[in-house]
Amino acid sequence: MKEVELVNGHLRFPALLTGDGEPVILLHGFPDTHENWAVQMKLLADAGYTCVAPALRGYAPSCQPGSGDYSLHAAVDDLLVFANQLGGRVHLIGHDWGAAVGYLACARYPESFCTFSALAIPPLKRLPKALLKVPEQIKLSGYMQFFQLPVAPEAWLKRDNLSGVDSLWHRWSPDWDPGLYLDNARHTLGEPGVLGAALGWYRHLIRLWRKEQRQVQEWLALDVRVPTQVLMGENDGCMSPKLLDHCINNDDFPAGLYVERLEDAGHFLHLERPEAVAELLIAHLKRGECLV
């Protein structure tokens, strides 16, 4: 496993690299770190793939833009630059925010992706209406409204050596001890500027007056013409798996849609059940070859 950097303009994104074969980009979410993909990357590399897991925009001091732009539009741009640096067409795996970026990128730029696997996030196109049909999700998503406030979210997350981060991990993946994974996440989120940047992703969601945000809304309405797999844990305390009942429509995925619910797994399903998730990921990677 090598530590490398991916570059977009003046921003430098720390990343992990391993394997030899078709390229796979793995994007993490919140409150997490790219380092926690290491186990999954080894399993995929053993199956014959080159795996690259970069930090998301803002999750290291070297990739925090002076403009403070943590929009999904900017994150999609980062991803496309990474894909070009790896040859132009890649497999994509995203968890949490990484999955949200993936849905948008694959909808807008399908020619850049061979396959897409979304972990812990149901398809976005029908998610707004699905929220009205799954009342429990309103409560589960309360943290997103809280994160719109100034100062208070940072204070809550930072208190007692980032105990707020611990609270989210245990709430979102109950009955599981994250151990070193949580330690890794706390270390990343404790770096200068990272916590504010991570919250910036949430705060950009409501900036609908920005042209870039309006473009993102347009991308949400597009079909995803990339073979797509959605994996969710049955015990997810962040995104209710019941959302799948209202978000899944095969017509939205002309290249194919595959959905799996994992028992005994919560929001961090790829860390809780690494072998089971890797088996599903590898099966999906084989459905679409990049090197053709």
Side-chain angles (χ1 to χ4, degrees), residues 118-187:
L119 278 58
I121 302 294
L124 298 184
K125 184 175 183 179
R126 300 176 186 270
L127 183 57
K129 291 184 178 180
L131 295 175
L132 301 176
K133 300 176 181 178
V134 185
E136 69 182 59
Q137 187 59 46
I138 303 300
K139 179 180 179 180
L140 294 179
S141 298
Y143 72 96
M144 297 182 72
Q145 284 72 48
F146 174 57
F147 285 173
Q148 301 303 321
L149 299 175
V151 182
E154 283 90 340
W156 180 75
L157 289 165
K158 287 180 179 178
R159 66 178 183 178
D160 299 329
N161 193 27
L162 293 174
S163 66
V165 173
D166 295 29
S167 176
L168 291 177
W169 272 68
H170 289 104
R171 185 187 311 166
W172 291 355
S173 279
D175 303 318
W176 173 64
D177 180 7
L180 181 61
Y181 294 125
L182 178 53
D183 292 341
N184 290 341
R186 291 171 67 251
H187 178 266

Side-chain angles (χ1 to χ4, degrees), residues 13 39 76 88 108 154 180 197 209 212 220 236 247 261 278 289:
F13 299 77
V39 172
V76 169
R108 178 61 182 84
E154 283 90 340
L180 181 61
W209 62 87
E212 293 81 3
L220 281 174
D236 195 319
C247 290
R261 304 180 190 224
E289 296 184 355

Side-chain angles (χ1 to χ4, degrees), residues 19-265:
D20 183 22
E22 294 185 2
V24 182
I25 294 179
L26 302 97
L27 299 180
H28 68 89
F30 172 87
D32 204 357
T33 175
H34 69 287
E35 295 174 341
N36 281 342
W37 280 117
V39 172
Q40 208 54 241
M41 291 172 69
K42 183 181 185 305
L43 294 171
L44 298 184
D46 289 345
Y49 296 92
T50 296
C51 300
V52 182
L56 290 182
R57 172 175 285 236
Y59 277 72
S62 61
C63 56
Q64 294 169 4
S67 64
D69 186 357
Y70 296 108
S71 65
L72 284 166
H73 192 283
V76 169
D77 178 70
D78 293 335
L79 174 57
L80 290 176
V81 170
F82 301 159
N84 286 333
Q85 291 171 358
L86 294 171
R89 294 194 75 226
V90 300
H91 297 280
L92 177 62
I93 298 170
H95 174 253
D96 191 79
W97 272 117
V101 173
Y103 279 118
L104 294 168
C106 290
R108 178 61 182 84
Y109 302 100
E111 66 281 357
S112 295
F113 304 99
C114 310
T115 65
F116 171 47
S117 292
L119 278 58
I121 302 294
L124 298 184
K125 184 175 183 179
R126 300 176 186 270
L127 183 57
K129 291 184 178 180
L131 295 175
L132 301 176
K133 300 176 181 178
V134 185
E136 69 182 59
Q137 187 59 46
I138 303 300
K139 179 180 179 180
L140 294 179
S141 298
Y143 72 96
M144 297 182 72
Q145 284 72 48
F146 174 57
F147 285 173
Q148 301 303 321
L149 299 175
V151 182
E154 283 90 340
W156 180 75
L157 289 165
K158 287 180 179 178
R159 66 178 183 178
D160 299 329
N161 193 27
L162 293 174
S163 66
V165 173
D166 295 29
S167 176
L168 291 177
W169 272 68
H170 289 104
R171 185 187 311 166
W172 291 355
S173 279
D175 303 318
W176 173 64
D177 180 7
L180 181 61
Y181 294 125
L182 178 53
D183 292 341
N184 290 341
R186 291 171 67 251
H187 178 266
T188 290
L189 291 161
E191 291 191 66
V194 171
L195 197 58
L199 292 173
W201 281 65
Y202 292 94
R203 290 164 176 164
H204 271 75
L205 286 176
I206 64 171
R207 299 183 180 182
L208 299 178
W209 62 87
R210 295 189 59 188
K211 178 183 69 174
E212 293 81 3
Q213 191 64 16
R214 294 196 300 271
Q215 288 179 330
V216 165
Q217 295 300 314
E218 294 172 0
W219 298 350
L220 281 174
L222 299 175
D223 291 341
V224 177
R225 300 183 180 277
V226 175
T228 298
Q229 174 175 240
V230 180
L231 306 179
M232 291 194 71
E234 290 283 14
N235 301 327
D236 195 319
C238 177
M239 298 296 293
S240 170
K242 294 178 182 177
L243 291 167
L244 290 173
D245 298 333
H246 308 285
C247 290
I248 297 299
N249 188 311
N250 289 321
D251 292 342
D252 299 339
F253 295 86
L257 176 64
Y258 309 85
V259 181
E260 295 282 350
R261 304 180 190 224
L262 278 78
E263 297 181 354
D264 302 321

